[in-house]
């Protein structure tokens, strides 16, 4: 039976092929069968995780807590220089110049990306806004959040900063960032489950050196990642503790 690999659904659509290239690269270098399955939503992915159908995952920081502390996953590596920050965005013609200018009843467009939504809600607190006095609509992707803002269906939107930066210049010019988080220590991570942990040492060596391999460099570029760096247990626990603190 092949191992099962999946990727947090918040990656940019342009990088979808990159994850398939990465999976092929892993199989060749590990000498084992790995099946990549991508999910359309976080809920569908979590159902697969809880059903024991995932052995390797490029996980968002929010889900890392469940994976590590409840299901026995271990961190292998993290993308160097890629931090998970959230931004609050408004249409370019919005009267709001700062978060404090937003008022009760504001229409929020967001996704089910849990860490981004959590951080976004924290950044709304200076305006005395919370779930009780805003109108929220969830969208499947950041592109749809952007469309909601541009069509006048929402007043404000939450984005993963990287997701916003990867939108086309044409779309970004029609929006404006009010505020960006500066947490710095929250990031995605490559985690390996109990059934695949016999391969962990070899897997870590491979991915943290792939930026030195000609084919590996091309694969990384297709994923929008410069290189992977090793992630220790201490670094993993620190990030999980921070996320848990934010979600209390």
């Amino acid at each position: 039976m092949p191992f099962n690999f999946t990727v947090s659904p918040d990656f940019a659509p342009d990088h979808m092929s990159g994850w398939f290239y990465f999976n092929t690269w892993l199989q060749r270098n590990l000498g084992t069968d790995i099946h990549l399955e991508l999910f359309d939503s976080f809920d569908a992915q979590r159902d697969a995780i809880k059903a024991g159908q995932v052995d390797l995952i490029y996980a968002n920081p929010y889900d890392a807590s469940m994976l590590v502390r409840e299901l026995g996953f271990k961190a292998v590596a993290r993308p160097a220089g890629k931090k998970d920050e959230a931004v609050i965005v408004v249409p370019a013609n919005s009267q709001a110049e700062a978060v404090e200018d937003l008022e009760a009843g504001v229409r929020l467009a967001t996704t089910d990306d849990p860490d981004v939504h959590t951080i976004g809600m924290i950044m709304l607190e200076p305006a005395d806004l919370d779930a009780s006095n805003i109108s929220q609509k969830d969208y499947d992707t950041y592109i749809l959040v952007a469309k909601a803002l541009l069509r006048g269906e929402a007043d404000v939107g939450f984005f993963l900063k990287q997701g916003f930066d990867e939108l086309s210049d044409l779309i970004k010019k029609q929006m404006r960032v009010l505020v960006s988080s500066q947490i710095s220590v929250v990031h995605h991570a490559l985690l390996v489950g109990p059934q695949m942990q016999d391969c962990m040492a070899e897997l870590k060596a491979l991915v943290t050196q792939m930026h030195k391999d000609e084919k590996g460099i091309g694969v990384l570029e297709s994923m929008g990642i410069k290189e992977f760096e090793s992630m220790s247990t201490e670094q993993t626990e620190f990030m999980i503790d921070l996320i848990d603190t934010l979600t209390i």
Side-chain angles (χ1 to χ4, degrees):
M1 291 290 290
F3 292 116
N4 293 309
F5 173 39
T6 191
V7 180
S8 182
D10 52 12
F11 63 87
D14 291 348
H15 296 153
M16 179 180 293
S17 60
W19 287 107
F20 282 96
Y21 297 149
F22 178 66
N23 188 59
T24 299
W25 183 89
L26 274 184
Q27 291 183 89
R28 289 174 178 170
N29 285 276
L30 281 177
T32 189
D33 290 335
I34 303 173
H35 169 69
L36 172 62
E37 183 164 358
L38 302 178
F39 295 89
D40 293 332
S41 71
F42 289 91
D43 286 341
Q45 186 179 77
R46 289 191 196 108
D47 288 343
I49 291 169
K50 291 175 181 177
Q53 298 171 358
V54 173
D55 303 301
L56 180 67
I57 180 172
Y58 184 68
N60 68 77
Y62 184 96
D63 286 339
S65 178
M66 169 190 67
L67 288 157
V68 172
R69 293 188 172 169
E70 297 178 23
L71 300 175
F73 279 68
K74 294 183 179 180
V76 175
R78 61 186 180 185
K82 289 176 74 73
K83 310 302 182 184
D84 280 17
E85 302 291 358
V87 291
I88 295 180
V89 176
V90 295
N93 60 2
S94 171
Q95 296 300 308
E97 297 294 334
V99 168
E100 291 82 357
D101 296 331
L102 299 173
E103 299 179 350
V106 69
R107 297 171 300 165
L108 169 66
T110 185
T111 67
D112 60 354
D113 193 337
D115 52 319
V116 172
H117 183 76
T118 297
I119 296 169
M121 292 302 295
I122 291 171
M123 291 195 293
L124 284 182
E125 290 177 359
D128 294 324
L129 297 176
D130 56 34
S132 69
N133 60 4
I134 63 173
S135 174
Q136 176 180 322
K137 186 171 181 180
D138 294 347
Y139 295 86
D140 290 335
T141 67
Y142 293 117
I143 292 175
L144 293 178
V145 171
K147 286 182 177 179
L149 290 171
L150 300 184
R151 291 172 177 170
E153 298 169 359
D155 305 306
V156 62
F158 291 166
F159 291 82
L160 179 68
K161 186 178 185 300
Q162 179 185 342
F164 179 78
D165 290 343
E166 290 175 342
L167 295 173
S168 71
D169 289 340
L170 179 63
I171 293 177
K172 285 189 290 186
K173 285 179 181 178
Q174 299 177 69
M175 296 184 290
R176 180 160 42 85
V177 174
L178 283 187
V179 65
S180 175
S181 66
Q182 296 180 333
I183 298 175
S184 299
V185 295
V186 177
H187 47 75
H188 283 51
L190 189 65
L191 306 177
V192 62
Q195 300 302 317
M196 198 176 175
Q197 286 172 11
D198 286 346
C199 303
M200 184 170 172
E202 186 179 3
L203 178 62
K204 178 173 288 194
L206 277 172
V207 299
T208 56
Q209 294 298 310
M210 68 184 296
H211 63 286
K212 299 178 181 179
D213 173 74
E214 184 177 350
K215 290 184 178 179
I217 291 171
V219 172
L220 287 168
E221 288 177 350
S222 69
M223 298 155 64
I225 295 174
K226 292 182 179 179
E227 66 180 88
F228 281 106
E229 59 186 13
S230 179
M231 188 171 177
S232 68
T233 300
E234 292 76 14
Q235 290 167 330
T236 307
E237 291 296 330
F238 180 79
M239 183 181 76
I240 290 173
D241 284 342
L242 177 59
I243 290 293
D244 287 349
T245 299
L246 291 175
T247 56
I248 290 177

